[in-house]
Amino acid sequence: PKKVEMISTILFIIVSCILQQSIGLTMNRKIFRQSRIFMTPSSVLPIDKYTESPDFSIRPTITDKARTVTHVCNSGTLCTVVSSGENSNESFNAPFGSYVDYILDKNGWPILLLSGQSLHTQNIRENPSVSLFCQLPRSHAQPAAVGSASATFLKSTPSAALSRVTVMGTVSPIPLDNEDLSSFKLAFILAHPYSEQIVDSPRFAFYRIQPLKIYFSGGFGVQSTWVDVHEYEQARPDVLAQEVPSVLARVNLEKQGELLLICKHFLGLDLADIEVVRIQAIDRLGVDLRVKTGQYTDEYRVGFRYQVNSAEDAKSEMVKLFQEAWERENGYFFADHLPPFTKYAEDILRGDNRSTTTATTTSV
């Protein structure tokens, strides 16, 4: 009986401590929420939409983006030069495109596993000049119900809006005595499991493309430029590169309301003018938003308040952005400054219309 009484007393003390802590935490949270509301003046308004942050501080460089695209993609279109047609006497210098899988070496040079009987391999033997085109994959998501807003959104996400890279250079076979060949074989098998049965076949060989020129396009009509090859080789893919497609799929389908609030309160856009908004990219520094208003499509950058190092951190920062936008929508301004943002790409049609307007005005 004494042992039972002692155990009961101990349990009572433990339960009492837990209840006290729970009540204390609840009160602290309530007091903290109230203090946030009363400490922040109700007259604080969102910063003017034209007060932007420096572009370089919240966006990866174009070189980083190009390296990330080639890293995320593990297949592309290899273009070789066809020097002759079916008749060997026929002169026929034209590009020939074919699908290939690849991996990257430490410098970002593409490594290919090619069959000696393939037409592109035969073309390479005669002319080693090639180009490799790769484009970010579309986000995979469960099909939305027909007629729903999500279904409409999916239809409005064309492949032309995705970032892509073209690597131009010369290709050559990797010698069998190359010290890195065994690691290339293992890496290729991990990326492309089917290749385990053919990596050691005498009918297949590994080839490497040495980039001479690299071209990056961020999407249709908004951003494209040449990339310095040496800077590309020194760059590293973003830490979120492999996680981006799955994260984009869910956020773009499930968080349209939150994205619209970000456009309204962070970018200063009128919701009545916005037809479609989606997150184009996510990286360690922030998110790229692609916003369609009428016939124009522009791209904006909203930076995280803190740099992230994992997909979980990025999700957490996005939730914070959504929460802050919701708070501003409901009249709670807990921060004096908006997250850093910038408009980094404008629809090329705006320039065409401005030129037309200017020409018309001048003629009149």
Side-chain angles (χ1 to χ4, degrees):
K2 290 184 178 180
K3 289 183 179 180
V4 174
E5 184 178 353
M6 184 180 298
I7 293 173
S8 300
T9 302
I10 293 173
L11 289 175
F12 176 77
I13 294 173
I14 292 174
V15 172
S16 298
C17 292
I18 292 174
L19 288 174
Q20 288 177 0
Q21 284 187 336
S22 177
I23 294 172
L25 288 174
T26 302
M27 292 297 295
N28 287 338
R29 291 194 187 101
K30 184 175 181 180
I31 293 172
F32 177 69
R33 285 196 299 267
Q34 291 176 344
S35 66
R36 289 181 69 190
I37 294 175
F38 290 111
M39 284 190 300
T40 306
S42 59
S43 58
V44 176
L45 296 176
I47 296 176
D48 184 82
K49 65 179 180 180
Y50 297 109
T51 306
E52 302 180 353
S53 300
D55 187 27
F56 64 85
S57 64
I58 58 172
R59 298 195 69 226
T61 65
I62 295 298
T63 305
D64 290 334
K65 285 178 171 288
R67 184 65 184 268
T68 299
V69 170
T70 57
H71 174 79
V72 172
C73 302
N74 56 14
S75 62
T77 301
L78 178 69
C79 287
T80 56
V81 179
V82 179
S83 59
S84 60
E86 294 184 28
N87 185 347
S88 59
N89 296 323
E90 178 186 2
S91 178
F92 191 76
N93 291 318
F96 172 77
S98 55
Y99 175 92
V100 293
D101 291 323
Y102 72 88
I103 59 173
L104 298 178
D105 67 7
K106 62 182 180 181
N107 293 319
W109 294 13
I111 306 293
L112 316 172
L113 179 60
L114 304 180
S115 167
Q117 299 177 339
S118 298
L119 180 56
H120 49 232
T121 307
Q122 299 175 33
N123 294 337
I124 287 170
R125 295 192 184 113
E126 296 186 21
N127 188 336
S129 297
V130 299
S131 69
L132 177 66
F133 172 84
C134 51
Q135 179 171 334
L136 287 177
R138 297 187 68 173
S139 301
H140 297 290
Q142 295 296 326
V146 177
S148 68
S150 297
T152 303
F153 173 79
L154 282 177
K155 292 180 180 179
S156 63
T157 312
S159 296
L162 302 174
S163 299
R164 53 243 185 206
V165 170
T166 301
V167 177
M168 290 156 278
T170 57
V171 62
S172 58
I174 300 176
L176 295 177
D177 59 352
N178 187 291
E179 61 181 6
D180 295 325
L181 184 58
S182 59
S183 61
F184 290 155
K185 288 182 179 181
L186 178 59
F188 205 94
I189 291 172
L190 292 175
H192 310 286
Y194 73 87
S195 64
E196 184 176 5
Q197 300 178 357
I198 59 176
V199 290
D200 293 317
S201 171
R203 296 184 178 183
F204 289 81
F206 281 95
Y207 288 75
R208 174 160 36 196
I209 299 176
Q210 178 182 358
L212 299 178
K213 289 186 176 183
I214 299 175
Y215 192 76
F216 170 83
S217 174
F220 175 73
V222 291
Q223 185 182 43
S224 59
T225 185
W226 292 98
V227 175
D228 182 87
V229 174
H230 178 69
E231 292 180 359
Y232 166 85
E233 293 172 344
Q234 300 300 315
R236 289 295 176 265
D238 192 83
V239 293
L240 304 179
Q242 300 296 345
E243 306 285 345
V244 167
S246 59
V247 174
L248 286 180
R250 293 197 60 182
V251 173
N252 283 329
L253 285 173
E254 300 174 4
K255 301 296 182 181
Q256 276 294 291
E258 289 84 347
L259 293 176
L260 288 171
L261 290 181
I262 285 179
C263 291
K264 176 181 178 181
H265 294 286
F266 297 169
L267 306 180
L269 302 179
D270 189 344
L271 293 184
D273 297 332
I274 299 176
E275 294 185 13
V276 177
V277 55
R278 66 174 177 271
I279 294 183
Q280 181 80 351
I282 308 171
D283 53 61
R284 67 187 184 280
L285 300 178
V287 298
D288 288 341
L289 292 177
R290 192 177 180 94
V291 183
K292 187 176 188 302
T293 54
Q295 61 178 324
Y296 302 123
T297 301
D298 303 312
E299 293 194 357
Y300 298 83
R301 177 70 169 186
V302 179
F304 295 143
R305 294 190 183 275
Y306 302 97
Q307 180 174 322
V308 303
N309 295 308
S310 68
E312 293 304 318
D313 290 343
K315 294 175 185 177
S316 176
E317 287 300 312
M318 279 193 294
V319 170
K320 291 178 183 177
L321 292 178
F322 295 154
Q323 177 67 19
E324 184 172 346
W326 179 89
E327 290 171 349
R328 289 179 176 274
E329 176 69 11
N330 289 274
Y332 305 122
F333 300 100
F334 299 142
D336 294 334
H337 301 285
L338 292 170
F341 72 94
T342 185
K343 180 179 181 180
Y344 68 87
E346 191 174 75
D347 199 309
I348 57 175
L349 294 178
R350 291 186 187 274
D352 294 342
N353 286 348
R354 289 194 189 109
S355 300
T356 303
T357 303
T358 303
T360 304
T361 302
T362 305
S363 63
V364 174

